[in-house]
Structure formats: C-alpha cells, structure tokens
Amino acid sequence: MPRPPTPTGRRLWLPGPASGRRLLVALLVATALFRMTQNMATTTLSLLAGEAVHLGAAAIGVLGAVLGLLVALVTLLLSRRVPHHRAATSAAWAMAGLAVSLLVLAVAPSFGVLAAGAVLLGAAGGLAMPGLLNAIVSTAGGERERVIAVYTVTLSVSLAVGPLLETVVLSVGHQDVRIPYVVFTVFPLLGAVLLVAARPRRRRTARFVATTSDGASVEAGAGRPDGVGTGRGASADPGPDDAAASEETSVGVDAAGDVATEPAGSPRRRGSGRSGLFASRAGRTALVAQLLYAVPFSGVTVFGALVARRGFGVSAAEAQLGFTVFFVCSFAARAAVAWRAPIAAKQALLWASAALTATGLVLLGTGHGLVLLLVAMGVLGVPHGLTFPLALALVAEATPVDALPRANATLLGSTNLSSVAVPLALGAIVPTVGYQGMMLAVLLPVGAFALVQLAMHVRPDGTG
C-alpha cells in the first residue's frame, strides 16, 4: 500500500498525531533551552574574558572570531550532511557538548582554556541549531508554516528570557560572571534528556516473502498498525528518526525552517538558467541587507557587555538587562512581521531597519547611564527582528524551490563570515578609539552597505 500523500499531493511520511505532538513540544522546548544558553555564553564571553581572565580587547576579538568560525565551519561542513531523520539525535549530542563547553569556560584561567571553550561552544552551536530546525521541519508535515511560526516565536521568547534570568543570577551571585556558566549548564542537559525521552521508539517489523504469479519473490513488511505491509518494513509510529525520504521527491530545508519538496521532474524543480542567491536582484538585496545588520550585530554580541560596563558605567547584571530589552524589541518586531505577513513593503522596512541600526549605533557610541543603554539596545533590537525574516522572504520569493537550500546556505554562510571578521577588526581598534568609539566606527560598513543597496535600486538590472 503506498504511503499517504501530503495535502500537496507529494509523498512525505509523517509521524502519527500523538507522537508528532509530543516530539514537537520536546523539540520546541529543547530549542528554547539551547538558544537561551548559547546566547548567554556568547554575550557574556567578553565579560568573562575581560573581567575574570583580564584579557585585552584584541584577545577578546580573537575569541569572538574563533567562536564564529567554528559555528560557520560546523554548519557548512558537518550539519548539512546530517540526514533529517537523525537531526534530533545530533541535536541531543550537541546540547550535551554545549554543557561541557560551559563548564570549560566557567573554570577557564587563561586565554588558551577560553579558546578551547569557545571552540566547543561554536561546534555545539553549529550542530545543534540546524539539527533542531531540521527535526522540527521533519515532524511538522502539512502544518509546517504554523509550526515554523511557533518556532520563531520560541526563539525570540528564549532570547528575551535568557538575559533576564542571567540578570537575576548575576545579582544573586554578586556580579561574578563565572556563575551563569555553571547555572545555565542544567538547561542544555535538560534539553538533551527531553529529546532522547520524546524520540519515537522503533518497532520490530515482521517480514515475509511472498511469491507472485510469475514466480518472483517479493519481500513485504507487516509492521504498520493497520496490519498492511509497506514493502519497506516501515515502523508503526515513525518519527524523524524513522523517516525515509522518497526517491521520487526532492526534500530540502531552507534557513527559515521551511521544507522545500518538489516531485521529480516538476518545472520548478528543473528550473531554468541561473539560480541561487545572486541570480535575482531580490536575492542580492537580501544579502546586502543581512550583511548591513550582521556587522553591527556581531559587534554588539561580542563587545556589547563591555561597552555597557565601561562606556555606560553599568553593572554586569544591568548590561544583561540591556540584552533583555534588545531581544524583547526584536521579538515584538518579528511578531509584527508574522502577524502582517505576507509583507508587501519589504524594501521600505529594510530601509527603516538600516536607519534604526545607524541610530542605535550612535546612541551606543555616545550615551551614558542605564536609561540610554536600554534605549540604544531597544532601538537596535527592532532591526534585529525585522531584517532576517524579510531577507528570507525576499530569497524565497525569487528562488526556485530546489535552489532554496543553496541560496539560503549562501545567505547564512556569508552572514556567518561577518562573525569571524568583525570581532577581529573591532578588537584591533579598541585600544585606539575605545569601546564606544568602536561602535561609532561600525557606522562605516553600515553606510557602505547602504550605498550598495541604493545603487542596486537606482540601476535595476531587470533580473529581480
């Protein structure tokens, strides 16, 4: 008996309702636990290196570059090779690795040990995040748009809750920046346990060999709950760790968490001419917009806590409160995009994001005191919420389905490169211009990308 088709008519074997809901909840909770922990470790790394290990800005920049490089390498070279039916398992292992990295960072007495912890942290992030995303997509089935909306909201909520929780931990722990690394270790371990516990169990399949009228032997399976053989020995309650991709269907996961599935031989799958991120003006616009914001975001992620401490004169806990405001505003912007989707005025919103980015950088570079810090981080949080979903939407609209994984990989890979180069460059100029002057210096690449964006629209090439 053939597998039941999805509502689109394409064949995709999905988990049963009960196991699917249970696994989805576990995956979403694990995603929240992972992301809040990873974000804590990343944004607090500069405080840990600067105040606990007493490193300079250049060394902190190197740590940030190592972290970004490992995330990019593992994502591009390893995560893409993990099949979707093994994604949840790979994510569970990565979350255990994240817990180990936190403990290494918590006890680090020197640059070398911090670098080892950063390597582990980056590798865990490069493996866990794609694994969780692919597992969620594989489980979502026909409801994937709704599930992906819940997924993005889960990310935003976890990013807002994490810094708030860290603020409390730092306050209770007398501003000791090592303590959050120890306390947060419990979260990825809990996430790994959830993934293992919720994973559907395989059931043994009874097989028998039947003989057809022409004398040919045919192996059949009897493992389905309705007693009907599948011919492939399918398990009774398959989940992401049991699914098998049909040879007749091309399945890919794009960066937004969407599943791109097209029947073999379909016009969209065959495509025509050039394809990929650079094949359309919309794709190039998405890349420039993403880079425009990725550069300052890399600077804020690596050095933001030190900018708050040494430029604005706030405590470590208040610095993390700034990140809470940042991610709350990001969540509000992303929720607004989801509520109003599809967005017609994407270009106008991207220009607004660029203006808000520049405004936030000026505030970070010139302000002082907790109130102005919170205002600056809130302003920068809005384009963080807007840019990524708008860029992904532009790429999706202009790219054939079969080219989406490659286009999104190019978009994310190019963005990830900024997390390698930017910390090195900014760490090198801090001794000359100071931490707040460094944030003003970021206005230069932001302005350059804005000019590139403007040039693409003043001289359209007709491919977008």
Side-chain angles (χ1 to χ4, degrees):
M1 179 177 177
R3 293 174 178 175
T6 63
T8 60
R10 295 187 290 271
R11 292 175 181 175
L12 192 63
W13 185 243
L14 304 176
S19 65
R21 286 195 299 270
R22 183 176 67 249
L23 184 58
L24 273 174
V25 169
L27 286 166
L28 290 169
V29 172
T31 297
L33 294 171
F34 166 77
R35 191 66 183 98
M36 65 188 289
T37 304
Q38 183 201 38
N39 188 61
M40 180 284 300
T42 302
T43 59
T44 312
L45 185 59
S46 63
L47 285 179
L48 179 66
E51 300 194 351
V53 188
H54 309 293
L55 298 180
I60 295 172
V62 171
L63 288 175
V66 168
L67 177 59
L69 180 63
L70 262 295
V71 172
L73 287 179
V74 173
T75 299
L76 294 174
L77 301 181
L78 182 58
S79 293
R80 67 188 299 176
R81 300 179 184 276
V82 177
H84 69 277
H85 57 281
R86 299 296 182 195
T89 301
S90 71
W93 280 106
M95 293 182 80
L98 175 60
V100 174
S101 74
L102 295 182
L103 294 177
V104 172
L105 291 169
V107 301
S110 63
F111 174 82
V113 181
L114 279 176
V119 168
L120 289 173
L121 178 61
L127 188 62
M129 202 63 181
L132 289 165
L133 177 58
N134 289 337
I136 287 172
V137 169
S138 300
T139 308
E143 295 291 324
R144 65 176 182 264
E145 284 194 27
R146 180 178 301 175
V147 170
I148 291 306
V150 175
Y151 167 79
T152 58
V153 170
T154 300
L155 286 178
S156 295
V157 170
S158 67
L159 288 172
V161 170
L164 185 60
L165 178 59
E166 186 181 1
T167 299
V168 174
V169 172
L170 286 168
S171 298
V172 173
H174 305 291
Q175 310 300 320
D176 186 344
V177 294
R178 294 184 185 273
I179 292 180
Y181 286 88
V182 178
V183 172
F184 274 66
T185 302
V186 69
F187 298 133
L189 290 178
L190 178 58
V193 171
L194 280 174
L195 292 179
V196 173
R199 186 177 60 184
R201 297 178 181 178
R202 293 176 181 271
R203 297 183 184 177
R204 293 186 178 275
T205 302
R207 293 181 178 275
F208 60 90
V209 178
T211 303
T212 63
S213 58
D214 59 0
S217 296
V218 179
E219 184 179 12
R224 298 221 12 221
D226 57 5
V228 179
T230 64
R232 302 179 73 172
S235 63
D237 191 16
D241 282 356
D242 298 309
S246 169
E247 293 178 355
E248 299 176 2
T249 304
S250 172
V251 180
V253 180
D254 65 22
D258 202 3
V259 177
T261 58
E262 286 295 328
S266 72
R268 289 196 69 191
R269 215 185 135 185
R270 288 194 301 268
S272 59
R274 293 193 306 159
S275 64
L277 188 66
F278 300 104
S280 67
R281 189 177 65 178
R284 295 189 293 273
T285 297
L287 176 60
V288 174
Q290 187 67 12
L291 288 174
L292 186 152
Y293 189 77
V295 171
F297 182 62
S298 296
V300 170
T301 300
V302 175
F303 293 104
L306 281 176
V307 172
R309 289 280 287 129
R310 301 184 183 180
F312 285 79
V314 302
S315 67
E318 290 170 336
Q320 290 305 315
L321 186 59
F323 279 105
T324 298
V325 173
F326 179 97
F327 288 113
V328 166
C329 290
S330 172
F331 165 71
R334 193 160 293 179
V337 170
W339 180 262
R340 299 292 300 176
I343 303 295
K346 295 182 182 67
Q347 299 290 350
L349 284 178
L350 287 175
W351 281 115
S353 295
L356 287 172
T357 300
T359 301
L361 289 173
V362 170
L363 291 173
L364 270 186
T366 59
H368 188 78
L370 179 60
V371 173
L372 276 181
L373 172 66
L374 299 183
V375 171
M377 294 296 276
V379 170
L380 283 171
V382 174
H384 177 267
L386 292 177
T387 303
F388 188 55
L390 292 175
L392 288 176
L394 283 172
V395 173
E397 288 176 0
T399 307
V401 172
D402 70 319
L404 266 179
R406 181 160 57 94
N408 283 325
T410 304
L411 180 69
L412 293 178
S414 302
T415 303
N416 286 339
L417 289 178
S418 68
S419 65
V420 179
V422 172
L424 289 173
L426 295 183
I429 67 173
V430 166
T432 303
V433 301
Y435 283 100
Q436 286 191 291
M438 173 197 67
M439 299 312 300
L440 293 176
V442 177
L443 287 168
L444 295 176
V446 168
F449 284 122
L451 289 175
V452 173
Q453 194 83 286
L454 180 62
M456 286 194 300
H457 289 279
V458 170
R459 297 180 358 190
D461 58 10
T463 62

